[in-house]
Amino acid sequence: YLATVDVNPNSQSYCKVIHRLHLPNLADEVHHTGWNACSSCHDDESKVRNRMILPCLNSDRIYVVDTGTDIYAPRLFKTIEPEVMHEKAGLGAPHTTHCLANGEVMISCMGNPNGEQKGGFVLLDGKTFEMKGNWERSETAEFGYDYWYQPYHNIMVSTGWGAPNAFRSGFNPKHVEKGLYGRSLYFWDWKEHKLIQTVDLGPGGYIPLEIRFLHDPLATEGYVGCALSSNVFRFYRNNSGTWSAEKVIDVPDKQVEGWALPKMPGLITDILLSLDDRFLYFSNWLHGDIRQYDITDRRHPKLVGQVFLGGSICKGSGVRVIDDPELKEQPEHKKIKGKPISDAPQMIQLSLDGKRLYVTTSLFTAWDEQFYPNMCRNGSMMLQIDCDTVKGGLTLNENFLVDFGLEPEGPVLAHEIRYPGGDCTSDIWLTSTAPQQKGVKPISKM
């Protein structure tokens, strides 16, 4: 279900679930969400951010939720059944939603109707939310997951998690060897809707997930977090017009005993940029920390904030770290309001002012059951990290906790967070919203 949480510290219902929209089907695996309108259609007064799009990874279903009639009590507006997407687009496992400047809604997909890898995109009508078909007019990418576009430079970039048939059953290292997980970035001609370049990140770039262009609409660079390899790559446009990528952050594996493998990656599962493009944040779901980097020097990010919340290397976890290039000792498992955090930071979402970073702890049910079975039994949590936007620094807010283990119908697993008024991963800006530079001319938003 979709939970509405009160985050106003002056409210009597502060950090409580004030509404639950129960969806009509079970085991959909609602994952990432998005909006029908954002800053890309800022100059169209008819566009209002009043519909939330909820794609489902397991069922291939898409829900459209009315958040405009009553912002505190969203209601179901429309359901797009899986067979519609299968028939009209030949795709499945829908993931990332962005609105487009023409009012349409685009959703990335990770597979075909049979659960095999296939990176493509579907379009929804921005008013009726009828499925129109594919966005791409040429070949699809081998894998799909997240995407971001920069209209001024006529480019879109997408990433690839893996084959749905592989990740839906949990993580199996043999599937990496069999080529069922991605390690490439895909660059698309925005106007022509065509794949024009694939950049292989190599062995250090397995499972590239969240990808972010800088918010500056004139920028020709951004960052991507690679989960399995636990690296962050900077991607950028060359003088020739082609695209390249370089590793700029490396989270080293920890040599361990008492875990599934002898080496434990950090598993970078979410990454975002502050609205002013000064700070980069990401979560290490296995190591259990959130990091803040100053990216003023785009090629040399500087670690300025870090907080450990939980994870698999904490004291008392049953895992012994025998070689750690970063830490002198295993961190303590944080508690909040007397309870151990359940279990490690996963999804993150930053307020527009950059001061509040909200965190949830569930990744994906099959992976939760594999790596954090206690969380599945006890429910996940939503936390708040206070961010120092002057010097850098992260602090757990001890007053904020949403414990989804205490839900009326039993423990649940919470995933992505959205602000109704906008956040740092929903909106894509166009050149008309940026200060005009000498010699820079806005181009078509399409």
Side-chain angles (χ1 to χ4, degrees):
Y1 55 82
L2 177 66
T4 304
V5 176
D6 187 345
V7 298
N8 181 359
N10 298 318
S11 171
Q12 292 184 346
S13 54
Y14 176 55
C15 65
K16 295 187 182 300
V17 177
I18 59 175
H19 183 267
R20 300 167 184 84
L21 172 62
H22 288 272
L23 300 171
N25 300 282
L26 296 176
D28 278 318
E29 195 74 33
V30 177
H31 200 61
H32 283 207
T33 59
W35 298 102
N36 65 310
C38 71
S39 298
S40 68
C41 47
H42 73 286
D43 57 349
D44 186 342
E45 295 181 358
S46 69
K47 301 301 178 186
V48 180
R49 198 194 311 255
N50 61 2
R51 299 288 185 269
M52 178 181 276
I53 318 299
L54 282 67
C56 303
L57 282 192
N58 282 351
S59 67
D60 295 353
R61 190 173 282 111
I62 300 171
Y63 296 107
V64 181
V65 173
D66 175 3
T67 60
T69 302
D70 186 344
I71 195 172
Y72 300 107
R75 61 192 68 177
L76 186 60
F77 179 78
K78 184 183 181 68
T79 301
I80 303 173
E81 296 296 341
E83 55 268 21
V84 175
M85 180 164 53
H86 295 170
E87 293 173 2
K88 289 192 173 183
L91 292 170
H95 187 265
T96 296
T97 301
H98 282 301
C99 70
L100 307 185
N102 64 356
E104 293 177 328
V105 173
M106 188 161 89
I107 305 173
S108 62
C109 295
M110 293 186 280
N112 63 22
N114 297 321
E116 300 161 327
Q117 67 260 37
K118 184 180 182 182
F121 306 85
V122 296
L123 291 173
L124 306 183
D125 183 278
K127 294 182 179 179
T128 65
F129 298 97
E130 294 293 322
M131 181 157 293
K132 302 180 71 172
N134 298 85
W135 173 83
E136 65 276 6
R137 296 172 184 161
S138 62
E139 62 177 316
T140 57
E142 182 180 8
F143 294 98
Y145 186 74
D146 196 24
Y147 73 99
W148 200 277
Y149 60 87
Q150 287 284 57
Y152 181 79
H153 299 291
N154 189 38
I155 199 72
M156 180 177 80
V157 59
S158 64
T159 62
W161 181 2
N165 286 340
F167 66 71
R168 281 172 176 165
S169 59
F171 178 70
N172 184 341
K174 293 182 179 180
H175 288 160
V176 179
E177 300 172 5
K178 292 180 178 180
L180 297 179
Y181 283 97
R183 68 177 205 183
S184 297
L185 302 183
Y186 306 97
F187 292 88
W188 306 75
D189 185 300
W190 182 242
K191 289 183 178 180
E192 298 298 326
H193 302 197
K194 292 182 179 180
L195 180 63
I196 56 174
Q197 186 182 354
T198 299
V199 175
D200 185 349
L201 299 176
Y206 272 110
I207 311 187
L209 295 180
E210 312 303 331
I211 192 160
R212 316 292 184 204
F213 259 108
L214 297 182
H215 290 102
D216 178 358
L218 303 179
T220 55
E221 60 185 330
Y223 300 89
V224 59
C226 299
L228 186 59
S229 301
S230 300
N231 295 319
V232 174
F233 280 78
R234 167 182 170 263
F235 63 90
Y236 58 95
R237 190 180 66 181
N238 301 301
N239 292 333
S240 63
T242 60
W243 294 81
S244 297
E246 60 179 354
K247 184 172 66 174
V248 293
I249 299 173
D250 182 5
V251 178
D253 293 349
K254 301 184 188 300
Q255 190 172 346
V256 296
E257 292 179 346
W259 197 64
L261 298 170
K263 290 186 177 181
M264 182 191 297
L267 208 73
I268 299 174
T269 48
D270 200 7
I271 182 174
L272 58 78
L273 305 179
S274 60
L275 207 58
D276 60 3
D277 290 332
R278 181 185 169 191
F279 294 109
L280 178 151
Y281 298 83
F282 65 77
S283 56
N284 282 311
W285 193 56
L286 290 180
H287 290 177
D289 62 312
I290 295 176
R291 301 190 183 198
Q292 176 192 37
Y293 286 81
D294 186 322
I295 55 169
T296 304
D297 182 341
R298 307 299 189 200
R299 298 189 66 186
H300 302 96
K302 179 182 178 182
L303 181 64
V304 293
Q306 183 178 22
V307 58
F308 277 87
L309 301 178
S312 298
I313 63 164
C314 286
K315 294 177 180 177
S317 65
V319 173
R320 177 172 173 258
V321 179
I322 56 179
D323 184 26
D324 190 335
E326 295 183 312
L327 302 177
K328 294 181 180 179
E329 62 177 346
Q330 294 179 234
E332 299 285 345
H333 194 131
K334 284 272 191 179
K335 291 184 178 181
I336 184 166
K337 296 188 176 182
K339 298 188 66 172
I341 289 176
S342 176
D343 242 286
Q346 205 281 294
M347 290 305 296
I348 54 177
Q349 191 56 268
L350 187 65
S351 59
L352 294 176
D353 63 4
K355 295 180 179 180
R356 292 172 294 136
L357 185 73
Y358 290 105
V359 184
T360 55
T361 57
S362 168
L363 171 60
F364 181 72
T365 300
W367 291 42
D368 293 345
E369 292 172 343
Q370 182 176 2
F371 294 103
Y372 293 116
N374 286 337
M375 179 174 63
C376 296
R377 290 188 288 268
N378 300 328
S380 66
M381 290 180 172
M382 178 177 169
L383 310 165
Q384 178 182 327
I385 305 298
D386 295 329
C387 307
D388 185 331
T389 59
V390 179
K391 298 180 180 180
L394 303 176
T395 306
L396 175 66
N397 188 316
E398 302 285 353
N399 297 316
F400 187 93
L401 168 65
V402 183
D403 188 346
F404 287 98
L406 302 178
E407 284 294 272
E409 297 180 23
V412 295
L413 301 172
H415 190 62
E416 189 163 55
I417 309 152
R418 287 292 180 200
Y419 296 81
D423 49 57
C424 289
T425 62
S426 295
D427 293 271
I428 294 175
W429 276 264
L430 305 175
T431 51
S432 55
T433 66
Q436 290 300 304
Q437 299 179 10
K438 186 176 180 180
V440 173
K441 298 180 180 179
I443 66 169
S444 168
K445 302 172 196 173
M446 301 303 298

